[in-house]
Amino acid sequence: MATTDTVYNTTTTTAQEPKSRRWLIVPSENLEKIRFVIKVIEVLLSFVAFVMEEVVSNCLQCGPLYFFEFVSCTAFLFTLLLLILLATTLHQRVGIDSWPTLDFGYTVAMAFLFLIASTVFATDNGKTSLEQGAVAFGFLATVAFFVDLIYFWKIRGFPCRKGNNQPADQTPRPEAEKLNSNGTD
């Protein structure tokens, strides 16, 4: 009977590489420095639009205001979450293999939702300075999301195309089944 020394040699039993103490990993395979800055701007503009909308004390037609509130709050929270995941090592602990596709799809959705919400709120509001300021920051956030989309597409291409959807995490996974020493079960 063969020994385990022949099966498990030094290349398969070496210690794992030491973990990096860096918590912020920009640039990375999922987020370049320019896109990191763009995403921070998206978070800030979404937050300002949300806060300005929240300060509005009364409304005549509240539907557009509530829709804008929903979109700006969603954009702020989820973009912040995505930014934290992509800029740290946390994205490696989540069971998602294709971060570029998720990032692109989310950015497309937020860009169009912010465009619709800002347009609707701009056409039907009380014309107060707070509402107009919120609309302005909504359109600025819309521009930031579209800039992010264009830059993403220019650098990486369309991620949903067949063959272009490479998993971002290329680390090898450990084998689930041990090797047999003699080749039998």
Side-chain angles (χ1 to χ4, degrees):
M1 182 168 225
T3 64
T4 58
D5 293 335
T6 59
V7 176
Y8 297 108
N9 59 24
T10 58
T11 61
T12 58
T13 59
T14 57
Q16 293 180 349
E17 63 186 55
K19 293 191 177 205
S20 173
R21 295 209 178 250
R22 291 179 54 201
W23 60 273
L24 186 67
I25 51 170
V26 175
S28 69
E29 70 272 4
N30 294 316
L31 191 63
E32 303 85 15
K33 283 184 181 181
I34 294 174
R35 289 199 57 243
F36 174 76
V37 171
I38 293 170
K39 290 227 175 277
V40 167
I41 291 170
E42 290 170 1
V43 168
L44 293 175
L45 291 173
S46 300
F47 179 70
V48 171
F50 173 68
V51 168
M52 288 186 79
E53 172 277 325
E54 278 297 311
V55 178
V56 173
S57 58
N58 56 17
C59 59
L60 299 174
Q61 294 289 338
C62 294
L65 178 75
Y66 293 154
F67 181 58
F68 186 83
E69 174 184 14
F70 169 74
V71 171
S72 60
C73 183
T74 302
F76 165 65
L77 293 175
F78 284 128
T79 306
L80 181 63
L81 175 65
L82 185 65
L83 180 65
I84 290 169
L85 286 171
L86 293 179
T88 64
T89 57
L90 290 175
H91 72 276
Q92 297 168 349
R93 297 180 183 185
V94 179
I96 297 174
D97 291 331
S98 184
W99 284 101
T101 303
L102 177 88
D103 185 11
F104 187 81
Y106 168 77
T107 306
V108 166
M110 279 297 109
F112 283 106
L113 279 173
F114 236 130
L115 179 64
I116 293 167
S118 297
T119 304
V120 168
F121 191 42
T123 58
D124 195 9
N125 65 45
K127 306 291 186 231
T128 65
S129 60
L130 282 174
E131 290 172 318
Q132 290 174 344
V135 167
F137 277 100
F139 279 119
L140 288 173
T142 302
V143 169
F145 278 102
F146 276 111
V147 166
D148 190 10
L149 269 177
I150 292 167
Y151 186 76
F152 184 97
W153 179 71
K154 188 176 180 182
I155 297 299
R156 295 182 180 220
F158 189 64
C160 299
R161 216 176 258 159
K162 192 172 187 166
N164 197 18
N165 197 6
Q166 298 293 327
D169 187 14
Q170 299 281 335
T171 58
R173 304 283 182 228
E175 292 183 11
E177 189 175 318
K178 300 281 186 200
L179 296 174
N180 292 331
S181 60
N182 61 1
T184 63
D185 289 341

